Amino acid sequence: SPGPVFVLGESLGSAVAARLAALAPEEVAGLVLVTPLASVPAVAARHFPWIPGFLSRDTWRADRALPSYPGPVAFVVAGEDEVTFADLGRALFEAYPGTKRLWLEPGATHNGLDWRASHPTWREVMAFVAGR
């Protein structure tokens, strides 16, 4: 149906969403990255520092895809993210050159975000990417 398309990706899905937005920027009105993954090698290096990064066949480089997307990007970072790591999510936010906003959920773990639609964060996120 007609209307704006908003893309949301969580964790590894955030890299997929970033790539989709980069490939079809005219189709995506706004992008939401939740517990974002900058790249598989960056996260893998934290979990498995003794394994060489070049062994990651699928790198899922959100950090390389995002600069090709000119639209608004909302970043929702879990402050205690033990999977994709909050500092890597914040670095991805800082590196994005476009219109952006960061929501940091200080006590949340990777799988501990409040996903209820009534939670104020999600209303703010959608208002931001919708330009309201």
Side-chain angles (χ1 to χ4, degrees):
S1 65
V5 173
F6 300 97
V7 177
L8 182 145
E10 178 195 13
S11 193
L12 180 59
S14 66
V16 176
R19 180 79 174 131
L20 172 69
L23 290 172
E26 66 285 344
E27 302 293 327
V28 177
L31 182 59
V32 180
L33 305 180
V34 180
T35 59
L37 175 90
S39 71
V40 167
V43 171
R46 289 283 182 86
H47 287 288
F48 311 105
W50 59 90
I51 297 175
F54 68 83
L55 291 178
S56 297
R57 184 182 293 182
D58 295 322
T59 58
W60 294 106
R61 300 295 306 248
D63 56 347
R64 291 186 182 162
L66 276 178
S68 297
Y69 175 66
V73 181
F75 294 79
V76 181
V77 174
E80 301 298 321
D81 193 326
E82 73 286 10
V83 177
T84 58
F85 304 100
D87 64 319
L88 295 179
R90 288 190 312 268
L92 185 65
F93 166 78
E94 292 296 333
Y96 179 60
T99 303
K100 61 189 173 186
R101 184 164 169 205
L102 173 68
W103 282 263
L104 179 63
E105 299 292 327
T109 60
H110 186 76
N111 293 312
L113 290 173
D114 187 339
W115 282 95
R116 289 175 297 153
S118 62
H119 193 277
T121 295
W122 303 116
R123 288 189 182 135
E124 290 176 18
V125 163
M126 289 312 298
F128 169 74
V129 294
R132 291 184 261 148

